[in-house]
Amino acid sequence: MFRVQVWDDDANHYVDVVLSFDPWGAVGYRHAQLGDPPAEYDDPGEAWRDAVDLLERFGDAIVTLLDTSTGERHFDERNLAEVGADASEASAASEIWTDDWIIQRAVRIRAVSAGGDVYEPWPGYTHPMTRDQAVKALEECEERWPEHEFRAHRLRLEEKVAADAIDRARRSARSRKYD
């Protein structure tokens, strides 16, 4: 089963959506409320058809398909397994790491049983960098702000895609503000 989801910038996570259609395809969406049937498909091809319709109409939206059987997110058709294919053959798009790193600061240290530590991107060190640059930046942060705990975090592909889309949306909003 594949579920169409859209990134909610305010909630800082993906949300299920209910789609609206015209004779030519999906033309809109709204957040699914309790009791609403979310946009779910057995056929990934049909799901992508509607997701692409949304992307064409809402260029700033981050649309993804969630494979509910594996928990994997798919940002394009290349990483989708064929219907009926063995799940072990499916690509793990959400686990593909990039060569980009950022620096994060510990916000809350918790036991693994409580969900683990919570980190947030540290301002000034959120632009993707190489591993060597991240190691130097981490040392710099630890030296400048010894009262904080930092880590170098290697970005997952989905984090990078989401961050790029959020940056595009923010730039677009800023440019409209000055028009």
Side-chain angles (χ1 to χ4, degrees):
M1 187 73 60
F2 296 89
R3 188 175 284 179
V4 176
Q5 294 186 324
V6 176
W7 179 260
D8 182 333
D9 214 12
D10 294 330
N12 202 29
H13 62 82
Y14 289 96
V15 296
D16 292 334
V17 294
V18 176
L19 302 180
S20 55
F21 296 89
D22 69 9
W24 299 278
V27 294
Y29 67 92
R30 65 176 173 78
H31 292 195
Q33 302 298 316
L34 189 62
D36 284 340
E40 281 189 329
Y41 301 81
D42 290 326
D43 178 11
E46 289 179 25
W48 269 116
R49 180 196 64 222
D50 291 343
V52 167
D53 286 347
L54 292 180
L55 286 169
E56 288 173 356
R57 287 178 172 80
F58 303 97
D60 289 340
I62 303 171
V63 180
T64 184
L65 290 188
L66 174 67
D67 183 340
T68 58
S69 64
T70 65
E72 294 177 11
R73 287 194 191 287
H74 302 279
F75 294 94
D76 60 39
E77 289 182 278
R78 293 181 304 225
N79 295 323
L80 268 178
E82 294 298 318
V83 176
D86 183 355
S88 65
E89 296 173 9
S91 161
S94 62
E95 291 302 319
I96 295 174
W97 295 88
T98 69
D99 289 332
D100 295 331
W101 295 73
I102 62 170
I103 302 301
Q104 294 181 324
R105 176 182 69 103
V107 177
R108 186 171 41 241
I109 305 299
R110 302 190 296 192
V112 174
S113 62
D117 299 340
V118 177
Y119 290 86
E120 67 181 5
W122 188 243
Y125 297 88
T126 58
H127 294 316
M129 58 187 93
T130 66
R131 183 180 186 280
D132 290 340
Q133 290 170 328
V135 168
K136 289 178 185 172
L138 184 60
E139 291 169 353
E140 178 182 315
C141 288
E142 290 171 342
E143 186 176 307
R144 289 181 67 186
W145 299 284
E147 68 277 12
H148 296 290
E149 181 178 323
F150 296 95
R151 74 173 182 181
H153 175 68
R154 193 162 107 190
L155 296 174
R156 288 187 185 94
L157 181 59
E158 76 174 27
E159 291 172 320
K160 185 176 178 181
V161 170
D164 289 346
I166 290 167
D167 285 343
R168 277 195 322 272
R170 287 183 178 144
R171 283 193 306 271
S172 175
R174 273 187 247 134
S175 68
R176 279 183 261 158
K177 186 168 78 173
Y178 298 111
D179 288 344

